[in-house]
Amino acid sequence: MEGVELKEEWQDEDFPIPLPEDDGMEADILAVTGPESQPDDLPKPKTTEIIRKGSITEYTAAEEKEDGRRWRMFRIGEQDHRVDMKAIEPYKKVISHGGYYGDGLNAIVVFAVCFMPESGQPNYRYLMDNLFKYVIGTLELLVAENYMIVYLNGATTRRKMPSLGWLRKCYQQIDRRLRKNLKSLIIVHPSWFIRTLLAVTRPFISSKFSQKIRYVFNLAELAELVPMEYVGIPECIKQYEEEKLKKKQKRVDQELNGKQDEPKSEHIAGSSTVLPRTHFRPAMWLPWHP
């Protein structure tokens, strides 16, 4: 194009500048190095033995496939989010599908807190951020109509308990459709801590949501409310319940044995005094002498 002057400020620093077309320069290079040393256009085999400092290593097909498995896209609301699946691999069992209840596709979503990461880990915030996206994204995939959440709280240490802020963030990020279609939140084996937490936050929770919360203290009660055929109960939860039942039975036995060992009491006629039988002695009749 005639009359158009190429100015320097038009050049983009990230865009490669074309090499000067100078046949003389190419001839000089050939004269010095010789034609044998010039690189051809044929592909060379990849070498991993020598990697220059600062160079970018190429992916093999296996590495590229592995990296593709590491990251997964989840749609939350109107946005797509990448989740580091390799990082959360040990914690993916935290959410699972427990089948359906009633008529239609009313899903049972099981949330097992015992599979959460411990708060003392150095990458805890990174794990919880990715786990949060995974939980919300999975919930979007599992739920078609109405649903309930079975929150398994047993066998969980305080170090594994998610913070109130994390739970609130989960609820806020749930799509309006999911919040509306949540029909029940069943908390199994509620600890004193979580009951206190919900009691404190009740004024800040909508009354409709508060009415959906229900406490269940053992798996037998849960079976009366939910079809358990496809509800996966972790082994640690089963062991936790067995230990609780053993402790309860032991306490009942101790109370019964304590009652049997207590001394029986007798009431003295004409008096409000109650004396133990072991301390009661009949009156001794002495002979009368005139």
Side-chain angles (χ1 to χ4, degrees):
M1 295 175 62
E2 296 182 2
V4 178
E5 181 182 356
L6 182 62
K7 293 187 178 180
E8 217 174 285
E9 57 265 28
W10 293 1
Q11 302 287 341
D12 191 344
E13 292 181 357
D14 296 329
F15 192 81
I17 302 174
L19 295 173
E21 298 179 0
D22 190 348
D23 294 337
M25 181 182 295
E26 185 177 353
D28 292 341
I29 294 173
L30 288 173
V32 173
T33 60
E36 294 81 3
S37 62
Q38 296 308 306
D40 53 32
D41 295 329
L42 296 177
K44 296 294 187 297
K46 178 186 171 185
T47 177
T48 56
E49 294 180 359
I50 301 175
I51 300 177
R52 288 182 300 177
K53 187 176 180 181
S55 64
I56 300 175
T57 58
E58 297 181 13
Y59 270 171
T60 63
E63 289 172 340
E64 188 172 358
K65 188 176 181 181
E66 178 65 26
D67 190 67
R69 283 198 298 263
R70 172 171 183 169
W71 298 96
R72 184 176 172 185
M73 299 296 294
F74 284 91
R75 191 164 187 82
I76 302 175
E78 299 296 327
Q79 296 182 347
D80 292 330
H81 297 267
R82 283 205 323 166
V83 175
D84 189 342
M85 300 300 291
K86 188 175 181 179
I88 66 169
E89 181 66 31
Y91 315 108
K92 289 197 300 182
K93 291 182 181 179
V94 72
I95 186 170
S96 61
H97 198 295
Y100 299 93
Y101 70 97
D103 299 327
L105 298 176
N106 301 315
I108 301 170
V109 180
V110 181
F111 191 90
V113 194
C114 58
F115 291 122
M116 294 287 285
E118 291 191 352
S119 58
Q121 297 192 33
N123 58 341
Y124 179 73
R125 183 172 293 182
Y126 179 78
L127 287 174
M128 293 298 285
D129 183 55
N130 281 271
L131 199 58
F132 160 75
K133 296 172 186 175
Y134 174 75
V135 168
I136 302 300
T138 303
L139 196 61
E140 294 269 2
L141 296 174
L142 293 180
V143 175
E145 297 178 3
N146 296 333
Y147 70 105
M148 68 166 61
I149 294 178
V150 176
Y151 187 94
L152 300 176
N153 187 68
T156 304
T157 62
R158 286 286 300 274
R159 294 170 65 88
K160 287 189 175 184
M161 281 289 296
S163 66
L164 177 61
W166 191 86
L167 293 173
R168 184 175 62 235
K169 184 180 177 183
C170 281
Y171 183 72
Q172 291 173 345
Q173 290 294 322
I174 291 176
D175 186 73
R176 185 178 180 277
R177 174 185 66 89
L178 292 177
R179 277 186 283 181
K180 183 180 179 181
N181 292 353
L182 175 63
K183 298 305 177 184
S184 182
L185 172 60
I186 301 175
I187 302 177
V188 186
H189 300 131
S191 61
W192 175 88
F193 172 75
I194 196 166
R195 280 181 286 171
T196 304
L197 188 66
L198 289 174
V200 170
T201 57
R202 191 175 292 272
F204 309 101
I205 301 175
S206 66
S207 58
K208 288 184 179 180
F209 182 76
S210 298
Q211 293 171 2
K212 298 176 182 179
I213 301 174
R214 181 165 184 175
Y215 295 129
V216 168
F217 294 90
N218 55 61
L219 297 177
E221 290 182 30
L222 179 64
E224 295 176 2
L225 303 173
V226 177
M228 300 290 290
E229 185 178 1
Y230 300 106
V231 176
I233 303 296
E235 286 299 321
C236 60
I237 299 288
K238 296 177 182 178
Q239 293 175 5
Y240 172 80
E241 176 146 314
E242 288 178 4
E243 291 175 1
K244 279 194 69 176
L245 291 175
K246 287 179 181 178
K247 289 180 180 178
K248 184 178 180 180
Q249 187 61 44
K250 185 178 179 180
R251 188 165 58 248
V252 170
D253 293 341
Q254 288 176 346
E255 290 176 358
L256 290 175
N257 292 333
K259 288 182 179 179
Q260 290 177 357
D261 294 339
E262 287 179 359
K264 294 183 179 180
S265 302
E266 289 188 1
H267 183 75
I268 300 176
S271 172
S272 60
T273 306
V274 178
L275 297 176
R277 177 176 292 181
T278 54
H279 297 289
F280 179 76
R281 295 289 183 270
M284 296 181 64
W285 295 96
L286 299 175
W288 180 77
H289 296 281

